């Protein structure tokens, strides 16, 4: 629950325009997001592209 609260805090800071918070949020979540995408998308290059798109849209 503590990590979830930290992510929520970072999302709120990001929405307020804090670029450093977005960087922290990215670092905390990118491995899990990539792992999930890679499970669904077998091609590594396509998975990397999709993860990149996810974070672009999230920002």
């Amino acid at each position: 629950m503590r990590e979830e609260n930290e992510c929520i805090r970072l999302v709120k800071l990001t929405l307020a325009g804090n670029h450093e918070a977005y960087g922290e949020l990215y670092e905390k979540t990118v491995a899990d997001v990539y792992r999930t995408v890679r499970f669904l998308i077998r091609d590594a290059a396509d998975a990397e592209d999709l993860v990149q798109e996810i974070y672009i849209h999230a920002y």
Side-chain angles (χ1 to χ4, degrees):
M1 193 66 153
R2 181 172 153 87
E3 188 170 328
E4 181 180 329
N5 289 339
E6 177 65 8
C7 287
I8 290 169
R9 184 184 74 79
L10 290 171
V11 167
K12 287 179 181 179
L13 288 170
T14 298
L15 291 173
N18 185 321
H19 299 292
E20 289 178 16
Y22 179 76
E24 285 183 53
L25 183 63
Y26 174 86
E27 291 299 323
K28 284 186 174 294
T29 60
V30 71
D32 289 335
V33 170
Y34 179 78
R35 212 174 3 264
T36 301
V37 170
R38 188 69 170 91
F39 173 77
L40 298 170
I41 309 290
R42 294 293 178 197
D43 183 71
D46 288 345
E48 289 175 18
D49 289 345
L50 184 55
V51 169
Q52 199 171 54
E53 285 295 318
I54 288 168
Y55 282 96
I56 288 169
H57 285 284
Y59 188 70

